[in-house]
C-alpha cells in the first residue's frame, strides 16, 4: 500500500530537526557506554528505543531520535559497542558485530541495559524497539527472547532476518514491522520468506513491506544507497505502527 508522503523529504526533515537531545553516559557492570536521549517536544506518547547499525551510534541515529521527538515520542539511541568504539573500516565493523552475533546473551543484556537506562532517565512507557541493519537483527533477537517488559512493537529496517537454531517466536510477541529492500544483496528474499513462515506459524501480528529497487541500507541519508521513496514509505509504515501501538491518550 502506498501511503501519502510529507511535503518535505525525510532527508530535509532530518536536516532541520531541532537538536534538543543529549548524550547519556551510562555503565553496564564495569563497562562504559554512551547513548543519546531526545525527549518528546510535548507530553510523550511513549518511547522509541533505537538500535544502531554496524557503525555504532552515530549522527544517523541521533537524527532519527530527533525526528521521533518532534513526533511526540521520547527516543533513546543505545550503544552496543562501548564508549568511544565507533569502527570506521569495514573489517572493524564486521569484527564488532561478530562479537555480539557469537554472544547472543551479551547482545540481549546490553539491549536490555540500554532500555533500562532510557527509563531511568525518565523515558515514557510503553516502548517500541526499532533498528537498522545490524540493529534490525538485534531487534528480532529481543523480540524472540521476550525479555523486555512493556514493549508494544518492534520494527526492523533492512536488518538481518535469520533466526538462530533453537530460537523462535512466541504467540504473544508484540507486532513486528519488517521494512526490506527488494534489491537488497545482503539479506536475500529467502530470509524474508522464511521469517514470514515462522511468524505465521507462531501466530504473531506482523507486516512485511518490500520496496522495489531498494538496496541494502536504503534509509541511510547522504549515502550512495539512500533511496528516498523507500525511506519515506518505510518511515510512514513505522509511524503507522506507532499510532497503532502507542495511541494518544
Amino acid at each position: 500500500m502506498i501511503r501519502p508522503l510529507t511535503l518535505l523529504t525525510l532527508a530535509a526533515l532530518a536536516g532541520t530537526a531541532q537538536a534538543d537531545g543529549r548524550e547519556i553516559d551510562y555503565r553496564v557492570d564495569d563497562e562504559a557506554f554512551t547513548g543519546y536521549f531526545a525527549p518528546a517536544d510535548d507530553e510523550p506518547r511513549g518511547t522509541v528505543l533505537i538500535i544502531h547499525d554496524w557503525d555504532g551510534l552515530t549522527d544517523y541515529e541521533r537524527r532519527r531520535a530527533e525526528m521521533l521527538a518532534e513526533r511526540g515520542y521520547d527516543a533513546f539511541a543505545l550503544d552496543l559497542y562501548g564508549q568511544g568504539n565507533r569502527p570506521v573500516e569495514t573489517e572493524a565493523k564486521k569484527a564488532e558485530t561478530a562479537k555480539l552475533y557469537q554472544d547472543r546473551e551479551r547482545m540481549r543484556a546490553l539491549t536490555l541495559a540500554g532500555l533500562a537506562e532510557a527509563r531511568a532517565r525518565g523515558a515514557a512507557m510503553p516502548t517500541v524497539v526499532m533498528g537498522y541493519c545490524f540493529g534490525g537483527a538485534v531487534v528480532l533477537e529481543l523480540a524472540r527472547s521476550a525479555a523486555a517488559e512493556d514493549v508494544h512493537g518492534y520494527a526492523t529496517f533492512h536488518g538481518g532476518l535469520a533466526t538462530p537454531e533453537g530460537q523462535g517466536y512466541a504467540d504473544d510477541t508484540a507486532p513486528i514491522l519488517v521494512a526490506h529492500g527488494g534489491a537488497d544483496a545482503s539479506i536475500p528474499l529467502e530470509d524474508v520468506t522464511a521469517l514470514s513462515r515462522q511468524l505465521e506459524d507462531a501466530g504473531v501480528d506482523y507486516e512485511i513491506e518490500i520496496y522495489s529497487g531498494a538496496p541494502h541500507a536504503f534509509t541511510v541519508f547522504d549515502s550512495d544507497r539512500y533511496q528516498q521513496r523507500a525511506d519515506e514509505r518505510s518511515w510512514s509504515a513505522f509511524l503507522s505502527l506507532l499510532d497503532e501501538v502507542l495511541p494518544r491518550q
Side-chain angles (χ1 to χ4, degrees):
M1 179 177 65
I2 299 177
R3 297 175 174 82
L5 304 181
T6 56
L7 294 177
L8 292 174
T9 68
L10 282 184
L13 288 172
T16 59
Q18 299 298 310
D20 294 329
R22 60 186 184 275
E23 290 194 338
I24 299 293
D25 292 334
Y26 63 102
R27 301 191 71 82
V28 181
D29 296 328
D30 294 329
E31 298 179 75
F33 296 83
T34 300
Y36 186 80
F37 181 48
D41 286 355
D42 299 310
E43 185 69 23
R45 298 171 59 179
T47 293
V48 178
L49 187 72
I50 303 171
I51 305 179
H52 57 74
D53 63 15
W54 73 347
D55 296 335
L57 174 54
T58 65
D59 283 343
Y60 177 74
E61 288 81 18
R62 296 185 189 98
R63 290 162 74 181
R64 291 289 182 180
E66 295 293 346
M67 292 167 65
L68 288 163
E70 289 193 338
R71 302 286 306 194
Y73 304 97
D74 289 336
F76 187 82
L78 57 72
D79 175 12
L80 292 178
Y81 287 174
Q83 197 170 87
N85 185 2
R86 302 294 180 262
V88 176
E89 301 299 329
T90 297
E91 290 306 312
K93 295 175 183 180
K94 289 181 179 179
E96 289 302 322
T97 57
K99 292 176 185 176
L100 292 172
Y101 279 131
Q102 294 166 10
D103 189 348
R104 298 278 176 158
E105 183 176 353
R106 176 175 170 81
M107 178 191 285
R108 294 189 295 270
L110 292 179
T111 305
L112 291 171
L115 178 57
E117 183 65 26
R119 290 172 174 171
R121 299 283 179 162
M125 297 173 70
T127 304
V128 167
V129 183
M130 58 104 82
Y132 297 93
C133 296
F134 162 70
V138 178
V139 166
L140 295 182
E141 180 71 24
L142 185 66
R144 289 189 296 268
S145 74
E149 296 182 357
D150 210 17
V151 172
H152 286 205
Y154 301 93
T156 168
F157 295 80
H158 43 79
L161 305 178
T163 301
E165 185 176 354
Q167 290 192 19
Y169 294 87
D171 60 3
D172 59 351
T173 301
I176 296 174
L177 168 67
V178 177
H180 185 77
D184 191 327
S186 299
I187 312 297
L189 287 173
E190 289 80 3
D191 285 1
V192 180
T193 302
L195 176 63
S196 175
R197 289 172 178 162
Q198 292 167 23
L199 297 176
E200 281 289 334
D201 290 344
V204 176
D205 181 357
Y206 73 97
E207 180 176 359
I208 295 175
E209 298 212 349
I210 300 175
Y211 306 103
S212 61
H216 189 65
F218 62 80
T219 69
V220 181
F221 305 123
D222 306 321
S223 75
D224 293 340
R225 296 184 177 187
Y226 181 72
Q227 189 192 90
Q228 178 183 329
R229 171 174 51 83
D231 180 30
E232 292 181 339
R233 290 181 180 179
S234 61
W235 189 252
S236 179
F238 180 58
L239 295 180
S240 294
L241 173 67
L242 293 179
D243 284 339
E244 176 184 347
V245 302
L246 301 179
R248 295 186 184 278
Q249 300 300 317

